[in-house]
């Protein structure tokens, strides 16, 4: 498996518009890249294939025992459903663990091996988002899984991004998860034939690109 963050896969100027054939080719290149870097499966999707669930959003919003800047996500003036709907296409991908994963919600994640799996997912999202930027898709938006505090700041007393005058200590790694914006990753994975009805070994990432 090649190392993440070696060099950008492609560096292109940002044109005023891209032809549909070029967009399709770039999306296929990014889909191939995320598979090469360790994803179990990846699909190019339309924004209409992103599945939102009020129940998923409500569960995340109620899970406040381990808060961070990104969990639960508070966007009083923005609507992530509308934001994602403004895109046309993205990459949805999954990574799989060898055993069933417990439902950690907003964390913490007590098992170090499980935490490393989350770290791998965040790294893949960051890589594809960054690669998209260098290919001319400067508005690419990546979402991961779980609470970034539980993944990267489990040894900290708090999420420092929530403290006035402080900032995130992992600004290029931390990001919102799909569940905290109300995306049902399991239903999406099943709809794309990435997993079976009862498979709970999956973690998924999403990068909206164009």
């Amino acid at each position: 498996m090649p190392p993440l963050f070696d060099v950008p896969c492609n560096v292109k100027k940002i044109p005023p518009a891209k032809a549909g054939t070029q967009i399709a080719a770039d999306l296929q290149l990014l889909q191939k890249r995320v598979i090469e870097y360790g994803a179990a499966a990846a699909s190019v999707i339309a924004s209409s294939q992103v599945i939102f669930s009020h129940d998923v959003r409500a569960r995340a919003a109620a899970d406040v025992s381990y808060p961070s800047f990104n969990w639960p996500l508070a966007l009083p003036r923005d609507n992530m459903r509308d934001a994602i709907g403004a895109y046309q296409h993205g990459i949805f991908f999954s990574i799989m663990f060898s055993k069933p994963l417990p439902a950690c919600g907003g964390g913490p994640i007590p098992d170090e091996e499980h935490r490393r799996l989350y770290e791998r997912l965040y790294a893949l999202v960051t890589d594809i988002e960054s690669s998209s930027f260098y290919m001319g898709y400067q508005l690419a938006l990546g979402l991961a899984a779980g609470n970034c505090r539980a993944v990267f700041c489990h040894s900290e007393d708090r999420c420092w991004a929530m403290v006035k005058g402080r900032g995130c200590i992992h600004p290029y790694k931390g990001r919102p998860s799909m569940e905290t914006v109300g995306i049902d990753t399991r239903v999406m994975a099943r709809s794309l034939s990435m997993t079976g009805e009862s498979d709970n070994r999956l973690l998924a990432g999403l990068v909206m690109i164009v």
Side-chain angles (χ1 to χ4, degrees):
M1 184 185 301
L4 288 169
F5 313 122
D6 47 2
V7 292
C9 62
N10 264 290
V11 179
K12 300 179 181 179
K13 292 182 179 180
I14 301 173
K18 279 180 177 281
T21 53
Q22 183 60 57
I23 292 172
D26 289 344
L27 290 168
Q28 289 177 4
L29 183 64
L30 290 165
Q31 179 188 21
K32 180 181 178 183
R33 181 176 176 90
V34 75
I35 292 288
E36 289 176 346
Y37 278 66
S43 293
V44 176
I45 64 166
S47 58
S48 60
Q49 291 177 278
V50 179
I51 299 173
F52 287 86
S53 165
H54 173 75
D55 291 341
V56 170
R57 177 72 180 89
R59 284 197 298 271
D63 187 354
V64 295
S65 62
Y66 200 71
S68 76
F69 185 81
N70 288 318
W71 185 292
L73 188 66
L75 298 172
R77 297 186 180 181
D78 296 294
N79 185 309
M80 283 296 292
R81 187 168 191 161
D82 290 344
I84 288 174
Y87 290 84
Q88 295 180 20
H89 298 288
I91 305 288
F92 179 78
F93 68 91
S94 65
I95 57 177
M96 302 289 284
F97 194 56
S98 57
K99 300 176 183 178
L101 287 163
C104 293
I109 304 170
D111 189 295
E112 185 177 350
E113 192 174 8
H114 295 167
R115 195 161 56 246
R116 285 199 297 268
L117 189 72
Y118 279 86
E119 290 174 357
R120 184 69 185 177
L121 175 77
Y122 276 76
L124 284 168
V125 172
T126 299
D127 180 85
I128 297 306
E129 186 183 71
S130 175
S131 296
S132 301
F133 176 87
Y134 282 109
M135 292 170 69
Y137 302 98
Q138 75 277 18
L139 299 179
L141 170 69
L143 300 171
N147 182 352
C148 59
R149 177 186 172 191
V151 179
F152 299 111
C153 294
H154 50 91
S155 61
E156 301 290 329
D157 294 333
R158 63 186 68 190
C159 169
W160 293 107
M162 300 179 73
V163 179
K164 187 175 181 179
R166 299 289 296 268
C168 177
I169 61 176
H170 295 287
Y172 302 109
K173 296 180 179 179
R175 61 181 66 248
S177 67
M178 283 188 282
E179 56 263 52
T180 200
V181 303
I183 297 174
D184 196 324
T185 59
R186 296 194 183 280
V187 171
M188 280 187 67
R190 288 198 296 269
S191 72
L192 296 165
S193 300
M194 289 185 180
T195 183
E197 185 70 26
S198 60
D199 199 328
N200 58 353
R201 300 174 298 140
L202 171 142
L203 287 178
L206 173 67
V207 182
M208 299 307 299
I209 295 169
V210 62

